[in-house]
Amino acid sequence: MNLSSNRVLVTGADGFIGSHLTEMLVKQGASVRALCQYNSFNSWGWLEGSSCIDAVEVVTGDIRDPNFVESITKNVDTIFHLAALIAIPYSYVAPDSYVQTNICGTLNVVQSALKNNVKRVIHTSTSEVYGSAQYVPINELHPLQPQSPYSASKIAADAMALSFYHSFELPVVVARPFNTYGPRQSARAVIPTIISQVLAGQKTLKLGNLSPTRDFNYVENTCAGMLALAGCNEAIGQSFNIGSGAEISIGSLASLIGELIGSDIEIIEDGQRNRPRGSEVERLVCDSSKLLQMTGFSPKVDLRQGLQKTIDWFSVPENLKRYKAGIYNV
């Protein structure tokens, strides 16, 4: 598939990954319609000030509204569906909102895509659907384990998307990124939490459980993997992991970030940041060999390189001031 001649809809384009993906699509020459969540401030999120904004058709609305979604999927070749609620802690206190946004929102997208003859839907999943690893590295055959309301909603959303492939031959691909990080990431994620606290001059770093391991993948790697899947006809009807294949504990990650910034930090465990015991995912390590075999794609930016790029972005005062380093973000 030649994305340079594609009419593309990106849902969640105002978010962290969505804004980076939108910029990459514009660079490839795609005609991009960017869905940003409607708000009274008329804010386009991370697309505000983007170098690509003049080349993008921005629409604002809500993925939960089926009539609205049907209208914005008209005359579209490819949909990258990223719009979702993703904060795990908030899913403990507001699980119904995750059902409405992640499951019903996905249903609206695939129903509209079917009606409007969309040629490809890239549905964004998450490694959280696997829960704590039963074996490593985790491939796409690993059992799904709903260890939080968030992960349960994404398991259901994935199933909903793939059901439209099996039932109606809608050309769906499920992209399953592991822990994506980089510039613009939400303050509730661990890497922005660490970097913003250190750059704010805090010597005592407050984190949750330090022992779990994660497979962190730089945002450009994740977006490039999604673009590779969009251009692969053989990928239709399947799920694909996107990750680095390397793991690091949260404690070691914090130490590495301190080293890269050049700051001596004391790490303490803040109990309010811990997940409920049965909900904690202890280990995630990605096996993305299926993606490599199918598309030839592999990550280009390693952890140290990606963290340095992220630190450089946060080091710009205008960027850092967007983050409230002293507040625990649910």
Side-chain angles (χ1 to χ4, degrees), residues 212 260 303:
L260 291 171
L303 182 61

Side-chain angles (χ1 to χ4, degrees), residues 235-304:
I236 293 173
Q238 301 184 57
S239 300
F240 293 84
N241 292 341
I242 306 176
S244 71
E247 66 178 319
I248 186 172
S249 72
I250 302 304
S252 296
L253 173 72
S255 298
L256 175 57
I257 291 174
E259 173 194 329
L260 291 171
I261 294 176
S263 176
D264 293 326
I265 54 176
E266 177 190 3
I267 303 171
I268 62 172
E269 190 168 326
D270 181 0
Q272 71 168 329
R273 299 170 186 255
N274 290 341
R275 300 190 195 184
R277 181 176 300 176
S279 186
E280 181 60 84
V281 173
E282 296 293 343
R283 193 177 185 193
L284 287 175
V285 192
C286 179
D287 178 353
S288 56
S289 58
K290 181 180 177 183
L291 176 65
L292 174 62
Q293 292 167 6
M294 190 76 75
T295 69
F297 171 81
S298 60
K300 300 297 187 293
V301 181
D302 67 22
L303 182 61
R304 292 184 72 95

Side-chain angles (χ1 to χ4, degrees), residues 8-15 22 32-39 42-45 47 53 56-63 68-74 76 83:
V8 178
L9 169 66
V10 179
T11 73
D14 48 340
T22 297
V32 182
R33 179 177 296 162
L35 171 61
C36 302
Q37 186 173 27
Y38 173 82
N39 60 86
N42 196 29
S43 171
W44 298 343
L47 287 182
I53 195 62
V56 173
E57 177 193 356
V58 177
V59 294
T60 59
D62 196 316
I63 203 72
F68 169 75
V69 175
E70 182 180 330
S71 70
I72 64 171
T73 54
K74 291 179 179 177
V76 165

Side-chain angles (χ1 to χ4, degrees), residues 36-101:
C36 302
Q37 186 173 27
Y38 173 82
N39 60 86
S40 60
F41 302 101
N42 196 29
S43 171
W44 298 343
W46 286 116
L47 287 182
E48 295 279 359
S50 171
S51 60
C52 78
I53 195 62
D54 291 338
V56 173
E57 177 193 356
V58 177
V59 294
T60 59
D62 196 316
I63 203 72
R64 296 172 297 180
D65 188 306
N67 294 316
F68 169 75
V69 175
E70 182 180 330
S71 70
I72 64 171
T73 54
K74 291 179 179 177
N75 302 314
V76 165
D77 298 312
T78 303
I79 298 173
F80 289 90
H81 176 42
L82 291 90
L85 285 176
I86 60 173
I88 295 168
Y90 188 58
S91 77
Y92 301 134
V93 298
D96 185 69
S97 59
Y98 285 69
V99 172
Q100 295 301 318
T101 300

Side-chain angles (χ1 to χ4, degrees), residues 83 188 209 235 298:
R188 53 94 206 152
N209 193 347
S298 60

Side-chain angles (χ1 to χ4, degrees), residues 193-210:
T193 294
I194 296 169
I195 294 175
S196 62
Q197 289 186 65
V198 175
L199 290 180
Q202 298 182 23
K203 298 300 183 182
T204 301
L205 194 64
K206 293 182 179 180
L207 297 174
N209 193 347
L210 301 177

